[in-house]
């Protein structure tokens, strides 16, 4: 028997219950993994709250990302064996657990230099930074870009990586502790958007020109301001809604500056084994070389999954949060 954080209905953190579960043995193309560290992501909050429709999947074990050790493999799995250190970021849900069965194709082997806790901080967030900077909107050395929530889990990785690519990063963050972190992860300009008008500051920094791309995961509170910060033919990449869903947007608003709007999702960039290996490989390479460092911001026992989610939701976290089984 193992333990898992289960929801039987959607709602606040109180709907999460720790239950005993039987995991069983892997079927063809599956592996059984013992988790060593589990990531806490906004995606899981959207699932628990009902923002993402999951009624048909209930009851479900939450969680999209974890790292651990392969215990057993099923038939037709030839690239993994028991004892391999692995990590993943994928659906179906089920990462908030001691052990689980998972399609082996979702697992990547961890290089020796990356421990399980670091892996749980970077798989989903770091692969997101990879595709945002290289695939959704390819940045170039010399660009000046705007990144919201620069001290957050994704934000810290994105900023370090962008700086390494020769990009000047303007980062927003809420409050003095977070602005200091945004500076430490490579933002050349930091705006405390709780205290300052970020649109006016971006215009000032870019001398009125605006930026070619904004990476915006905050959503409701920043979306329209982000559009204002863009240069003509700029690209607004909205990849999350930490402050809530965006409302009141009309496509015609893009025509004012011939803007492009993207709403990308990681899972569509790693849907084949080849894509997953390439994106994860690029991430492991920047972590291995020290270009990107990721530290655990907050860790909680699995039993406190609700508390961990509440802290993330309430804007109280800095960097990545993990659960320890
Ligand atoms: N599309 C994808 O493929 C993809 C993949 C991974 C993550 N995401 C999205 O990226 C975002 C960041 O994820 P993360 O796990 O790294 O979280 P995070 O950035 O560490 O945490 C969210 C941050 O957003 C900022 N924020 C601003 N207004 C907020 C509000 N009203 N409520 C809560 N937070 C607010 C806060 O930073 P400040 O206090 O500094 O403002 C907060 O710490 C999430 O929206 C997530 O859904 C998308």
């Amino acid at each position: 028997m193992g333990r898992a954080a289960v929801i039987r209905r959607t709602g606040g953190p109180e709907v999460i219950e720790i239950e005993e579960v039987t995991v069983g043995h892997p079927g063809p193309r599956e592996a059984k993994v013992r988790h060593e560290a589990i990531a806490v992501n906004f995606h899981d909050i959207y699932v628990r709250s009902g923002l993402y429709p999951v009624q048909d999947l209930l009851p479900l074990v939450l969680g999209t990302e974890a790292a651990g050790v392969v215990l057993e493999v099923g038939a037709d799995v030839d690239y993994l064996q028991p004892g391999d250190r692995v990590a993943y970021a994928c659906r179906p849900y089920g990462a908030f657990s001691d052990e689980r069965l998972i399609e082996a194709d979702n697992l990547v082997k961890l290089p020796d230099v990356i421990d399980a806790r670091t892996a749980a901080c970077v798989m989903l967030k770091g692969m997101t930074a990879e595709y945002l900077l290289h695939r959704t909107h390819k940045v170039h050395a010399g660009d000046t870009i705007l990144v919201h929530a620069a001290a957050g889990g994704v934000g810290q990785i994105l900023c370090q990586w962008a700086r390494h690519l020769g990009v000047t990063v303007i980062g927003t963050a809420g409050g003095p502790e977070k602005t200091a972190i945004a500076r430490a992860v490579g933002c050349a300009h930091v705006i405390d958007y709780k205290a300052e008008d970020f649109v006016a500051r971006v215009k000032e920094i870019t001398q009125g020109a605006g930026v070619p791309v904004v990476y915006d995961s905050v959503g409701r509170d920043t979306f329209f301001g982000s559009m204002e910060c863009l240069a003509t033919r700029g690209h607004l990449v909205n990849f999350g809604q930490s402050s809530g869903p965006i409302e009141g947007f009309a496509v015609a608003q893009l025509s004012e500056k011939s803007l492009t709007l993207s709403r990308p999702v990681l899972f569509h960039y790693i849907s084949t084994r080849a894509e997953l290996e390439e994106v994860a490989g690029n991430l492991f390479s920047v972590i291995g070389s020290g270009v990107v460092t990721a530290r655990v911001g907050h860790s909680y026992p699995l039993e406190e999954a609700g508390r961990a989610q509440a802290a993330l939701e309430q804007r109280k976290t800095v960097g990545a949060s993990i659960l320890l089984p």
Side-chain angles (χ1 to χ4, degrees):
M1 293 288 272
R3 290 165 316 144
V6 178
I7 58 165
R8 294 182 173 274
R9 60 192 165 95
T10 56
E14 69 285 352
V15 302
I16 303 175
E17 294 191 22
I18 303 298
E19 299 187 7
E20 296 278 317
V21 290
T22 306
V23 179
H25 299 283
R29 305 193 60 75
E30 283 188 333
K32 182 173 180 175
V33 176
R34 177 170 52 75
H35 291 148
E36 291 182 339
I38 302 157
V40 182
N41 286 298
F42 251 91
H43 189 108
D44 313 310
I45 295 173
Y46 304 144
V47 168
R48 187 216 71 219
S49 69
L51 180 68
Y52 288 172
V54 291
Q55 289 302 333
D56 295 348
L57 304 175
L58 297 176
L60 69 79
V61 178
L62 289 167
T64 36
E65 176 186 16
V69 176
V70 174
L71 294 178
E72 207 180 329
V73 293
D76 304 324
V77 178
D78 43 16
Y79 51 90
L80 286 173
Q81 50 190 359
D84 281 345
R85 299 173 57 250
V86 291
Y88 64 87
C90 68
R91 289 176 288 197
Y93 305 117
F96 283 16
S97 55
D98 296 330
E99 294 178 4
R100 75 175 293 185
L101 299 178
I102 187 165
E103 242 182 80
D105 266 354
N106 290 318
L107 299 173
V108 287
K109 282 193 205 178
L110 285 175
D112 291 343
V113 290
I114 303 181
D115 61 69
R117 291 180 187 206
T118 303
C121 293
V122 300
M123 280 304 286
L124 189 135
K125 299 171 187 72
M127 289 199 292
T128 298
E130 200 275 355
Y131 84 73
L132 289 173
L133 292 170
H134 298 92
R135 296 160 206 269
T136 307
H137 180 98
K138 195 166 169 44
V139 294
H140 299 98
D143 287 348
T144 297
I145 69 170
L146 175 61
V147 178
H148 288 304
V154 176
Q156 289 194 29
I157 300 174
L158 188 60
C159 292
Q160 293 177 75
W161 206 330
R163 182 184 57 173
H164 173 70
L165 295 170
V167 169
T168 300
V169 182
I170 305 172
T172 63
E177 186 195 358
K178 291 188 180 183
T179 51
I181 286 168
R183 212 162 275 116
V185 294
C187 295
H189 307 275
V190 181
I191 304 169
D192 179 349
Y193 54 0
K194 274 185 174 170
E196 301 172 86
D197 174 353
F198 75 84
V199 176
R201 286 278 289 116
V202 169
K203 286 189 178 158
E204 189 188 323
I205 293 162
T206 60
Q207 298 175 329
V211 292
V213 62
V214 181
Y215 294 107
D216 184 342
S217 65
V218 172
R220 185 167 56 202
D221 291 355
T222 50
F223 182 80
F224 293 103
S226 296
M227 275 172 68
E228 283 190 65
C229 291
L230 285 167
T232 301
R233 293 169 53 187
H235 191 173
L236 175 46
V237 181
N238 167 251
F239 66 101
Q241 56 268 312
S242 303
S243 65
I246 296 147
E247 283 159 9
F249 167 71
V251 174
Q253 289 173 268
L254 299 173
S255 69
E256 287 167 24
K257 285 190 278 185
S258 293
L259 302 178
T260 300
L261 172 65
S262 297
R263 179 54 180 94
V265 174
L266 170 66
F267 303 124
H268 301 140
Y269 287 80
I270 53 169
S271 57
T272 67
R273 183 76 200 165
E275 284 173 336
L276 172 63
E277 283 182 359
E278 186 181 332
V279 175
N282 290 341
L283 172 65
F284 293 161
S285 151
V286 288
I287 290 178
S289 64
V291 163
V292 168
T293 54
R295 63 180 183 91
V296 178
H298 311 266
S299 63
Y300 308 80
L302 176 61
E303 292 78 3
E304 293 185 13
R307 191 162 78 87
Q309 281 201 340
L312 182 59
E313 206 170 12
Q314 291 161 13
R315 211 171 172 174
K316 289 180 180 159
T317 61
V318 177
S321 303
I322 59 168
L323 302 174
L324 298 174

